[in-house]
Amino acid sequence: MSIAEALDMGRYSVYVWSCYGLTLFCIIVELVWLKQHRKMVWQRVCRMVRMTKRQKDEAQV
Amino acid sequence: MFSAFFSVVRRELLLAMRRRADFLTVLFFFIIVVSLFPLGVGPEADTLRKIAPGVVWVAALLASMLALGRLFYNDYVDGTLEQMLLVPQPLSILVLGKVFAHWLVSGLPLVFIAPVMGLQFDLDGEAIIVLIGALMLGTPILSLIGAIGAALTLGVRGGGVLISLLILPLYIPVLVFGAGAVEASASGLGAQAHLSLLGAGLFVSVVLAPWATAAALKISVE
Amino acid sequence: MKINIFKYAAPATFYPLAGKMIPWFMWAAALLGIAGLYYSFFEAPLADYQQGQSYKIMFIHVPTAWMSMFIYVVMAMWAASGLIWNTRLSAMMAKSLAPTGALFAFLALVTGAVWGKPTWGTWWVWDARLTSELILFFLYIGFIALGAAIEDPRRAAKATGLLALVGIVNVPIIYFSVIWWSTLHQPPSLKLNESTMGVEMLISILLMTLCFWSYTIGVALSRVRTEILQRESKTDWVAALVQEGEKK
């Protein structure tokens, strides 16, 4: 059996591959979103920590 | 305990009498939604007879949803709700009283007007009787389940739309058995099974829903 | 034993622990996914005698449908424990599981529809399983919407927890009513039958399910970590963490 035949899925290629493709796509999108959200939160927390530290230092001076 | 229940019911009915327009709005919403369907679908009597139970039930679902916003909101704003949390009687009893009164003014009128709606859709006498019975058993369930959603979304921005998202999926069994009762009696199967299931649902929701609503109110008022 | 559990339930100890666990679950998911795909394309029979090769969609459809149901149950369990013991972490777990559960419900719906087109000749059939999957998707959406609408995180956690419990009590009733409804209206004869499922097919479906499980755990843990970071941003241990991270 050739690769083309295997990919063809006995006429059902569109249906089968779109399902697998969509699933993979959704998983990748979810992971990217997760990463970006995490990055955003991390940066915000960093900014806040730096700010409170500066305030503390100024209070000591 | 019963005196607390009845005093809550009396208070709610008194308040409702003063704001009659609120509940007439719900009733007319129901009538208008049902009357729109023949205009959308076409006037063939056969089609109308077929879709009648579903249409009436979906309209009842939406109407009961519309009325829910007012169930706890006024008491929440003026602080009555906080007082209710402090009362020695269990909160679930008070909730049950409120829901019962709410059903009397917003659910029961739908049951009474339903026969007229049935005539619009060319239903025969037997189907109309079954429809009334199903609504009689089903609309209290709608109020009871809806109370949970009303309590959860109390004071939340966009609460009105949100509540439909939370509650409509939970209404599905009532819709299935309620509309199914009329269909089953029309097809000669007899509506008894559907009506008994609705009755069982009513019993279960009377026991469980006030309790969940009370818990939700405590979360929202805290 | 009990002390141990509650020690790890504290966000400050859970945060680094979860950070160590996530890569393990993600790698497990990747390996199980590769194994599952290998099995479904090379070991499982080439075509089903009724459905032809379109039955390969089942290897995605069935695991995603199962996962969407499992996740709802697990979510409700976390919500219950959050309400009973008032532990912050359980509520965060429940919240973190919801988007992935909704995603799987969505995938199960779409793959079910795509499977239905060549098999039934139509994209959507109001059959009992697809319908209840759709309702499950709505329940997820309600849960997520309620959580997003309430600003106070503690109230949001409790309210969504209660909603999840109300939902889980209703799920069997909804499922029963949908089955009742579909038998009344005579469903199509060809079903997603498991009776013809061979051993190879079962193995690949199980492998895919395990893959999705590990993936879900990994993603949920990662969401919990972000959530912890967000809520504990004023505590000392987060400050220490940030300074450590900036030195590197």
Side-chain angles (χ1 to χ4, degrees), chain C:
Chain C
M1 196 58 203
K2 207 156 195 182
I3 303 159
N4 255 336
I5 291 169
F6 279 101
K7 188 188 152 212
Y8 286 114
T13 37
F14 186 78
Y15 184 85
L17 181 71
K20 274 186 210 122
M21 274 150 66
I22 290 167
W24 286 98
F25 281 111
M26 284 308 185
W27 278 112
L31 292 177
L32 283 165
I34 290 168
L37 288 176
Y38 174 79
Y39 240 88
S40 28
F41 283 106
F42 297 104
E43 297 286 327
L46 189 63
D48 184 83
Y49 74 99
Q50 260 182 318
Q51 310 161 21
Q53 292 192 27
S54 74
Y55 95 104
K56 303 253 162 176
I57 296 175
M58 286 294 110
F59 298 129
I60 298 276
H61 175 72
V62 176
T64 48
W66 280 354
M67 284 309 296
S68 63
M69 292 178 234
F70 286 152
I71 292 178
Y72 199 86
V73 174
V74 174
M75 200 174 86
M77 272 162 33
W78 280 115
S81 75
L83 284 177
I84 295 168
W85 291 296
N86 207 7
T87 44
R88 277 177 298 170
L89 200 62
S90 335
M92 288 188 210
M93 281 305 286
K95 189 187 170 191
S96 313
L97 282 167
T100 308
L103 173 69
F104 281 128
F106 168 74
L107 284 174
L109 282 174
V110 175
T111 52
V114 174
W115 179 81
K117 182 64 187 162
T119 319
W120 291 326
T122 160
W123 292 104
W124 183 265
V125 168
W126 288 99
D127 115 298
R129 290 195 206 186
L130 277 178
T131 312
S132 36
E133 190 68 42
L134 182 68
I135 298 168
L136 186 66
F137 181 62
F138 291 155
L139 289 177
Y140 273 119
I141 296 300
F143 181 91
I144 296 171
L146 183 68
I150 302 178
E151 265 155 39
D152 173 26
R154 285 190 51 200
R155 186 186 157 188
K158 282 186 185 168
T160 50
L162 191 68
L163 182 68
L165 286 185
V166 173
I168 203 79
V169 171
N170 269 284
V171 162
I173 303 172
I174 294 174
Y175 190 63
F176 168 72
S177 75
V178 168
I179 289 182
W180 177 283
W181 165 82
S182 81
T183 47
L184 196 73
H185 294 94
Q186 284 168 358
S189 54
L190 186 61
K191 291 200 170 163
L192 327 178
N193 45 350
E194 270 123 23
S195 51
T196 56
M197 200 146 83
V199 181
E200 293 90 356
M201 193 170 166
L202 195 67
I203 291 177
S204 23
I205 285 182
L206 282 179
L207 281 173
M208 291 307 280
T209 310
L210 288 174
C211 156
F212 287 146
W213 248 132
S214 318
Y215 168 79
T216 309
I217 297 174
V219 168
L221 285 178
S222 164
R223 274 209 193 90
V224 169
R225 251 161 76 91
T226 313
E227 183 87 12
I228 290 176
L229 207 61
Q230 215 165 4
R231 287 203 206 167
E232 307 263 310
S233 56
K234 292 196 180 75
T235 54
D236 289 340
W237 70 267
V238 171
L241 201 75
V242 168
Q243 271 154 6
E244 205 176 296
E246 284 188 341
K247 261 181 226 162
K248 275 174 199 169

